[in-house]
């Protein structure tokens, strides 16, 4: 009242400065800026002045006053009733007792950047105002003693909405914080009303004459007096007025504090507490209890709902909330309200160990509560395999198929339980259709097939399901369940296997299963196996060898057990066709064993022939005493293996039966091919008691005649060689002792007339010198005789080397510790390879050797040069 503004810091040391000459009537301190707006009087009369102070800047020790202007609506001085400033410093509203409102728009701290205009004129005094900012929209609430309005300042001309037709007294309005959606509070004597910018909100029946209203951290603070006290109080009484200070928690709908005080001047909020200034000069500090203390007070009174609401309002962490829910659940459980208790326990999921709740509701009478809890546990994806098992067992015990179906089909996008565990439980409980649904939906192919095959016995459906699977799964499941499917639906199973191994219908294609891996499936279905294997060999010629081996074995088995001649012949033809397909070249022994096991004679003989096992063919016919076949085999394969005739002779010689005709046939071939010495023939036939001299008489006569003829021929050859030797010796003597006359008239190379200079050789060939120089490889060799002479020299050299090599080999073999390693070494060096020299065809072995020797002597003795 003296024009001063006082400051009270936390240290409680007062300071002040002179703001006005007469008095200060209103103050507004901004929350986000260190700006203070005041209204006061500097001279007598109705002359209110508005001053804006920057508390951060000083002017002679006092705060800097940045703006001064009179608070007059128009030209008529009026008393200011209230003032409010927007936190963005762009709006300031001044209310007057005559019902006028002056709005300043722009920078309120400067004159030149702001504009002032009259927003409203009326008949009732302005008792309260407040700015509300929502996004980019700004509203100004204005309340008089008879009305409530909301102006929209973001639009041109500032349209307003009449919110109510009754108002309140001075200092009986306030703006809430965001926890109550920034509503405007108007406290009448009967009720407290909350307003949005476009409508009236909730109201609260708080009786008593309202003197002061504040909003503090979610609490509504009201100072009031009872009507009876107000009515009975004398106007001249100087006794202190008893007033009620009440703090309401509107969100939790409870009275947080209430007390009686004397003559409250104002309620201030600072430093995290409420301060109540009373007329007796005292300041009362109200400190809010911490959240835990509040909760404990509510717990003692079993006010759990209020405690939960309070905890949420105080933003208590999830662990703290969970503990409240647990205590509330325990309280309801102890009172017998199991339905309510389970709802609280559900709210503890994720914090409270599920077993704590499950143990309480395992009683059969509480199974529906347990089901609700377990279902919520699954919805939050916090259930383990045991919880899934327990929930499904609850459904099955309640026989609640509808809830069970709803549970397993509820989540299309996300699964809240262990699918495999669910399938097991449903299968065990006999809910096969539900288990099948889960298995198919979540691609648990093995479980689907197990249920179809082992429980429902729907083999056809199981087979169709496999056919719809991707190739890898279809292949693996056929290997697993192929036998049981083959035993019940053989034809369809065979067809699916055909597709798997050839052309399985699937996106992309290209994959083929190995048919060998499916052969065991047909263990008890040989007919289907034959169909499968024949399909593979027909469609896929490069099928694995095992397919052909099994098909051959199956054909031979059928052939061996077939009694119908016509069918047996057909099976024999099939087996021979298979053998002749060329697929058994690399597994010759296996095919041969199969034919021998089933005594398939035709196949055995065919394989012997393909393998050039001619002696085995002979032995086969001998074992079966097939004389004519023995002879035919010798005729057919004797050229390739001459010993067959010797074996045939030995075989017939051992027979006690009359085999003269066959022996005679064999002897004729032996004689014609000169296969055996006569003495060995005689010794061989001596074992046969039925073979007489007449059997070999013709053979011996012919043999002796040929020997005589050969002897005569050899003698003639010897005589010829003697004559040639004598002649050659004579030539050598003449060459050594007599002159050689060269009478050649033509060149032996170009056949032109011989001219000097010329070259002559003792062999009788003559050459032009230029022809000789062009064709001769050396000056000492006759170009014409050189190829033949070189061949003879090579023969002589090879014989000499072999002679030395033989002596060295014998020496090493004699003194070696391991004779076998020496032989192996020489074999590895190719020493024992047969050397064939191509010369003129000899008339006989002896004659050829003699002729070669004579040629060597002739070449050595006649080699001369000119």
């Amino acid at each position: 009242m003296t024009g001063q503004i006082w400051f009270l810091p936390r240290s409680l040391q007062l300071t002040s400065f002179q703001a006005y000459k007469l008095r200060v009537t209103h103050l507004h301190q901004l929350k986000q800026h260190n700006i203070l707006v005041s209204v006061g009087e500097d001279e007598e009369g109705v002359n209110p002045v508005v001053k804006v102070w920057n508390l951060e800047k000083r002017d002679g020790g006092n705060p800097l006053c940045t703006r001064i202007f009179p608070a007059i609506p128009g030209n008529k001085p009026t008393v200011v009733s209230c003032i409010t400033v927007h936190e963005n410093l762009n709006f300031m509203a001044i209310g007057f007792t005559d019902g006028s409102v002056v709005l300043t728009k722009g920078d309120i701290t400067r004159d030149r950047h702001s504009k002032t205009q009259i927003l409203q004129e009326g008949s009732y005094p302005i008792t309260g105002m407040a700015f509300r900012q929502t996004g980019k929209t700004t509203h100004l609430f204005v309340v008089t003693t008879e009305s409530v309005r909301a102006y929209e300042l973001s639009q041109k001309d500032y349209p307003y909405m009449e919110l109510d037709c009754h108002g309140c007294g001075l200092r009986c309005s306030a703006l809430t914080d965001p926890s109550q959606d920034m509503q405007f509070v108007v406290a009448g004597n009967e009720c407290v009303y909350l307003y949005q910018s476009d409508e009236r909100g909730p109201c609260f029946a708080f009786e008593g004459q309202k003197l002061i209203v504040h909003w503090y951290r979610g609490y509504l603070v009201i100072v009031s007096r009872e009507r009876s006290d107000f009515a009975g109080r004398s106007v001249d009484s100087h006794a202190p007025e008893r007033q009620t200070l009440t703090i309401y928690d509107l969100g939790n709908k409870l009275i947080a504090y209430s007390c009686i005080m004397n003559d409250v001047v104002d309620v201030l909020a600072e430093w995290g507490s409420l301060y109540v200034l009373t007329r007796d000069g005292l300041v009362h500090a109200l400190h809010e209890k911490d959240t835990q203390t509040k909760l404990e007070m509510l717990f003692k009174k079993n006010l759990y709902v209020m405690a939960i609401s309070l905890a949420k309002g105080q933003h208590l962490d999830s662990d703290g909330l969970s503990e409240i829910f647990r205590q509330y659940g325990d309280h309801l459980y102890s009172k017998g309200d199991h339905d309510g208790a389970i709802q609280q326990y559900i709210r503890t999921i994720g914090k409270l160990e599920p077993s704590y709740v499950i143990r309480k509701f395992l009683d059969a009478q509480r199974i529906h509560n347990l089901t609700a809890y377990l279902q919520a546990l699954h919805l939050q994806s916090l259930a383990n395999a045991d919880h899934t098992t327990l929930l499904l067992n609850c459904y099955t015990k309640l026989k609640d198929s509808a809830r069970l179906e709803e549970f397993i089909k509820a989540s299309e996008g996300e699964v809240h339980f262990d699918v495999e565990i669910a399938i097991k439980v449903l299968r065990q409980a006999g809910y096969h259709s539900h288990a099948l649904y889960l298995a198919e939906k979540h691609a648990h192919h093995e479980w689907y097939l197990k249920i179809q095959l082992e429980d429902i016995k729907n083999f056809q459906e199981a087979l169709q399901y496999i056919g719809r699977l991707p190739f890898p799964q279809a292949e693996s499941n056929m290997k697993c369940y192929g036998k049981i499917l083959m035993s019940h639906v053989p034809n369809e199973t065979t067809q699916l296997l055909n597709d798997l191994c050839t052309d399985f219908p699937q996106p992309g294609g290209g994959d083929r299963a190995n048919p060998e891996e499916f052969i065991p499936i047909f263990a008890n279905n040989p007919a289907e196996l034959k169909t499968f294997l024949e399909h593979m060999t027909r469609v896929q010629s490069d099928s694995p060898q095992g397919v052909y081996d099994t098909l051959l074995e199956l054909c031979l088995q059928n052939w061996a057990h077939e009694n119908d001649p016509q069918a047996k012949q057909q099976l024999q033809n099939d087996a021979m066709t298979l053998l002749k397909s060329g697929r058994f070249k690399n597994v010759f022994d296996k095919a041969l064993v199969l034919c021998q096991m089933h005594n398939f004679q035709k196949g055995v003989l065919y394989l012997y022939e393909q393998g050039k096992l001619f002696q085995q063919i002979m032995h086969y016919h001998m074992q079966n005493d097939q004389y004519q076949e023995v002879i035919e085999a010798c005729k057919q394969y004797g050229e390739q293996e001459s010993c067959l005739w010797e074996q045939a002779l030995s075989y017939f010689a051992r027979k006690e039966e009359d085999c003269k005709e066959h022996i005679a046939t064999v002897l004729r071939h032996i004689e014609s091919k000169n296969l055996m010495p006569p003495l060995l023939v005689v010794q061989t036939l001596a074992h046969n008691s039925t073979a007489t001299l007449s059997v070999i008489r013709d053979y011996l006569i012919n043999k002796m005649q040929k020997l005589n003829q050969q002897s005569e021929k050899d003698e003639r050859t010897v005589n010829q060689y003697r004559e040639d030797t004598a002649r050659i010796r004579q030539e050598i003597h003449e060459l050594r002792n007599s002159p050689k006359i060269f009478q050649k008239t033509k060149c032996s190379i170009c056949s032109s007339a011989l001219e000097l200079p010329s070259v002559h050789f003792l062999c009788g060939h003559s050459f032009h010198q230029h022809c000789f120089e062009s064709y001769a490889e050396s000056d000492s060799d006759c170009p014409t005789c050189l190829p033949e002479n070189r061949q003879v020299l090579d023969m002589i050299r090879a014989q000499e080397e072999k002679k030395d090599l033989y002596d060295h080999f014998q020496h090493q073999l004699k003194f070696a510790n391991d004779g076998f390693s020496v032989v192996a070494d020489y074999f590895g060096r190719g020493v024992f390879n047969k050397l064939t020299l191509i010369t003129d065809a000899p008339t006989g072995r002896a004659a050829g050797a003699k002729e070669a020797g004579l040629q060597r002597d002739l070449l050595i003795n006649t080699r001369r040069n000119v």
Side-chain angles (χ1 to χ4, degrees), residues 273-287:
S273 299
L274 279 175
Y275 296 89
V276 182
L277 178 63
T278 57
R279 190 74 60 185
D280 56 7
L282 297 178
V283 176
H284 304 266
L286 300 179
H287 302 291

Side-chain angles (χ1 to χ4, degrees), residues 450-548:
K450 278 185 180 180
I451 297 168
Q452 289 282 23
L453 298 174
E454 299 175 12
D455 301 331
I456 304 178
K457 309 293 184 183
N458 192 343
F459 304 102
Q460 189 69 42
E461 180 59 35
L463 191 66
Q464 292 176 3
Y465 181 82
I466 294 176
R468 295 193 297 269
L469 295 178
F471 175 82
Q473 286 84 357
E475 181 185 20
S476 62
N477 282 291
M478 279 305 294
K479 291 176 183 177
C480 184
Y481 301 106
K483 283 188 178 180
I484 187 172
L485 289 170
M486 183 61 68
S487 62
H488 292 88
V489 280
N491 294 333
E492 293 84 353
T493 304
T494 303
Q495 182 57 47
L496 180 55
L497 289 175
N498 288 344
D499 295 340
L500 272 175
C501 298
T502 52
D503 298 314
F504 186 69
Q506 64 166 341
D511 289 329
R512 289 182 177 182
N514 184 355
E516 278 188 282
E517 297 176 355
F518 297 106
I519 291 175
I521 292 174
F522 297 90
N524 300 317
N525 299 77
E528 285 75 16
L529 175 59
K530 187 170 185 293
T531 302
F532 172 68
L533 296 175
E534 287 177 344
H535 173 80
M536 291 306 304
T537 56
R538 182 174 60 255
V539 175
Q540 191 174 332
S541 59
D542 60 343
S543 295
Q545 185 60 43
V547 172
Y548 288 89

Side-chain angles (χ1 to χ4, degrees), residues 332-333 336-343 360-361 366 368-369:
L332 294 175
Y333 185 86
D337 184 4
H338 299 104
D339 292 341
I342 205 67
Q343 293 305 316
K360 289 179 176 289
F361 293 90
R366 311 281 175 255
H368 64 283
N369 299 127

Side-chain angles (χ1 to χ4, degrees), residues 139-142 148-153 158-163 195-199:
H139 289 89
L140 173 64
F141 291 101
V142 177
V148 180
R149 286 183 180 181
Y151 288 88
E152 186 172 350
L153 305 182
Y158 309 134
Y160 69 89
M161 177 173 286
E162 196 82 28
L163 298 178
Y195 297 92
Q196 296 279 1
S197 59
D198 55 355
E199 62 180 355

Side-chain angles (χ1 to χ4, degrees), residues 7 315 423 595 602 709 726 825 845:
F7 295 93
H315 304 291
I423 293 172
C595 291
K602 192 170 182 181
Q709 292 173 359
D825 179 56
R845 294 180 182 175

